[in-house]
Amino acid sequence: MEGIFSPEGFEEIGGGPLYLQLQRRIGEAIAAGRLRPGDSLPPERDMATMTGLSRVTVRKAVEGLVAAGQLVQKRGSGTFVAARVERLEQALSLLTSFTEDMARRGKSVESVWLARGLHAPAPEEVMALGLGAGDRVARLERVRRSDGVPLAIERASLSAGVLPEPEAVEASLYAVLEARGMRPVRAVQRISAANLGARDAELLDVPAGAAGLRIERIGYLPDGRVVEFTRSLYRGDAYDFAVELKLSPEAERIGR
């Protein structure tokens, strides 16, 4: 880190605000590879001493880089260079699981489990799954990671009759459902923008308030019964969802 936090080179006049000058230095060091993903920055007090800048100036510079996604702050651990996240394009025309999608790309998949168990259903689960009085619901909550990078938080709800043992799901939920003859064959999916709350942002290694995508999926069996109600949060800096559009038959006839 020699030179990055040197007191030389900061211009009081003509160079712009000092916090922006420090931001540029750190950003250029990241771009040049002198600071690599996972590298830790010195504590705020040390950076102020090394640069000759005030702690307020250093804090403002760091906060700007955190907001830009170049740095991440971990409570009790410090400030680190953020991992470079490859943007992924997901087609909306295919009904696949996260595990299947990443395997198709040749990427590794890991689940960090937050909760698995049987519960009394919440009102929205009763409505979505068509549950009756006294029915139980299986809930699966986990962070989905690919090549070590957290990409999504997945919260799936299924009838206990469909998934009586939630602990049986270790990797792919769809693989377990397929083995039981209950894999969904179609789904209705809704996507909306979201700003990530503090807890979800921490799980995804992004700043609180960062842009995300909220995805709600209801999956159906061949006979039309609802089998899956999943709510997911995806990192906005990692995913693009793409859909192919075609003219309707009527529009094609008019075009002729």
Side-chain angles (χ1 to χ4, degrees), residues 65 99 122 136 142 147 252 254:
L65 291 167
T99 303
R136 305 272 284 172
R142 54 183 166 171
D147 290 349
E252 287 183 343
I254 294 173

Side-chain angles (χ1 to χ4, degrees), residues 65-85:
L65 291 167
V66 169
Q70 291 183 275
L71 299 177
V72 293
Q73 290 181 314
K74 299 181 179 179
R75 193 177 305 162
S77 298
T79 303
F80 301 84
V81 178
R84 291 190 178 92
V85 179

Side-chain angles (χ1 to χ4, degrees), residues 7-246:
E8 286 80 25
F10 289 105
E11 299 179 27
E12 293 282 355
I13 301 174
L18 292 172
Y19 80 92
L20 287 179
Q21 294 184 47
L22 180 57
Q23 275 186 8
R24 282 196 294 270
R25 272 200 197 182
I26 298 173
E28 289 168 0
I30 293 172
R34 288 186 288 147
L35 285 174
R36 299 179 177 276
D39 283 352
S40 62
L41 268 62
E44 183 182 288
R45 179 182 302 173
D46 292 353
M47 281 193 280
T49 300
M50 295 161 70
T51 59
L53 303 175
S54 71
R55 289 185 65 177
V56 172
T57 298
V58 170
R59 184 179 304 121
K60 194 170 182 180
V62 169
E63 287 174 348
L65 291 167
V66 169
Q70 291 183 275
L71 299 177
V72 293
Q73 290 181 314
K74 299 181 179 179
R75 193 177 305 162
S77 298
T79 303
F80 301 84
V81 178
R84 291 190 178 92
V85 179
E86 175 189 354
R87 290 195 72 87
L88 304 172
E89 185 173 289
Q90 172 69 49
L92 291 177
S93 57
L94 299 174
L95 179 55
T96 59
S97 69
F98 183 91
T99 303
E100 292 166 340
D101 186 44
M102 291 301 118
R104 182 169 54 85
R105 302 171 192 271
K107 295 181 172 293
S108 67
V109 177
E110 177 189 0
S111 292
V112 179
W113 286 102
L114 305 175
R116 269 181 293 189
L118 295 174
H119 304 272
E124 60 180 339
E125 292 170 323
V126 172
M127 292 291 293
L129 295 171
L131 301 177
D135 285 348
R136 305 272 284 172
V137 66
R139 287 190 195 135
L140 309 172
E141 183 179 9
R142 54 183 166 171
V143 177
R144 307 308 306 267
R145 301 171 67 96
S146 176
D147 290 349
V149 178
L151 295 179
I153 302 169
E154 184 181 273
R155 299 178 172 105
S157 300
L158 304 94
S159 164
V162 170
L163 189 65
E165 297 180 359
E167 295 80 8
V169 180
E170 296 182 358
S172 172
L173 169 61
Y174 279 11
V176 172
L177 293 179
E178 187 165 16
R180 292 178 56 81
M182 292 186 172
R183 175 171 177 146
V185 295
R186 69 179 183 91
V188 174
Q189 193 158 273
R190 292 180 173 84
I191 302 176
S192 59
N195 291 108
L196 301 176
R199 178 175 179 266
D200 290 334
E202 185 175 359
L203 291 172
L204 292 175
D205 274 353
V206 296
L213 293 168
R214 180 181 290 111
I215 300 176
E216 180 181 289
R217 174 186 288 185
I218 297 180
Y220 297 86
L221 294 173
D223 62 7
R225 285 181 296 156
V226 174
V227 68
E228 168 203 11
F229 175 43
T230 296
R231 290 145 295 174
S232 303
L233 280 171
Y234 282 78
R235 288 177 60 149
D237 63 347
Y239 261 86
D240 291 319
F241 287 87
V243 60
E244 180 182 359
L245 303 177
K246 296 181 179 179

